[in-house]
Amino acid sequence: MKKKRSALSTAGTGIFTIVGIVYILPILIVLMNSFKKKVYINKQPFQLPDGKTMAGLENYMTAIDKYNLLSAVGWTVFITVGSVLVILVCTSAWYITRVKSKFTKMLYLLCVFSMVVPFQMVMFTLSLVADRTGLRTPWGIIIIYLGFGAGLAVFMFCGFVKSIPIEIEEAA
């Protein structure tokens, strides 16, 4: 029995190691190519940089100076943290879970149904509405992300609140 588990464990470890390498390999290739000159990224994408192809940190300096990389990273962090905070604050699911009425049931179903619609179906309409309503700012993007993240957040929070016994809430 131990040999069977050991063989299964070894096989599982091997499979997950291969899967991990497959997932990490593209990241390593991009990182490796970031140190090459532009011409050699397309000509020799899988070769390690050598003396002829090496650009060093020049590509990173160009990205920081010419393309304002640090500002882009800052805005990305702002939008991500802001979106998560707004979603957490706006999607408190205690009311939907604990108050049993037709309104809360419909609200829950509406939130869950919003997860069924794929982003590709609404992206063109969403970009048009964002243009016309002035939501093409970092603050507007946070509002848009709230619309897309609220359904999943309500679904997850309702599942969590349902797992808490009513007695614990009453005791608090």
Side-chain angles (χ1 to χ4, degrees):
M1 189 69 171
K2 267 191 170 183
K3 283 187 178 185
K4 197 174 197 179
R5 276 192 182 171
S6 178
L8 224 79
S9 176
T10 305
T13 301
I15 289 171
F16 283 117
T17 301
I18 292 169
V19 169
I21 290 170
V22 167
Y23 275 94
I24 291 173
L25 196 60
I27 297 169
L28 293 176
I29 291 172
V30 168
L31 184 64
M32 178 183 64
N33 283 331
S34 72
F35 291 103
K36 291 181 185 177
K37 295 177 183 172
K38 279 186 184 179
V39 176
Y40 297 105
I41 293 173
N42 289 333
K43 285 185 177 179
Q44 305 166 352
F46 301 111
Q47 290 182 354
L48 288 171
D50 56 13
K52 182 174 127 184
T53 62
M54 184 75 150
L57 296 177
E58 182 181 324
N59 290 339
Y60 288 98
M61 296 310 292
T62 303
I64 290 171
D65 293 337
K66 188 175 179 184
Y67 299 111
N68 217 358
L69 177 69
L70 296 178
S71 175
V73 170
W75 280 115
T76 301
V77 169
F78 171 75
I79 291 169
T80 303
V81 171
S83 298
V84 169
L85 290 176
V86 168
I87 288 171
L88 286 174
V89 168
C90 292
T91 59
S92 173
W94 182 87
Y95 182 79
I96 295 173
T97 306
R98 295 297 188 210
V99 177
K100 303 292 183 192
S101 69
K102 286 184 180 181
F103 172 73
T104 57
K105 186 166 180 101
M106 288 302 297
L107 189 60
Y108 177 75
L109 290 175
L110 183 67
C111 289
V112 170
F113 179 71
S114 72
M115 294 187 314
V116 174
V117 181
F119 177 73
Q120 292 81 357
M121 285 184 63
V122 295
M123 68 182 180
F124 293 117
T125 308
L126 179 67
S127 64
L128 180 68
V129 170
D131 281 342
R132 291 185 179 171
T133 58
L135 291 176
R136 291 190 60 131
T137 65
W139 297 99
I141 292 173
I142 290 173
I143 293 169
I144 291 170
Y145 283 179
L146 170 64
F148 280 106
L152 179 63
V154 166
F155 178 71
M156 289 174 52
F157 290 155
C158 283
F160 172 72
V161 171
K162 284 178 187 175
S163 72
I164 300 171
I166 290 269
E167 292 80 18
I168 292 177
E169 285 184 28
E170 290 172 352

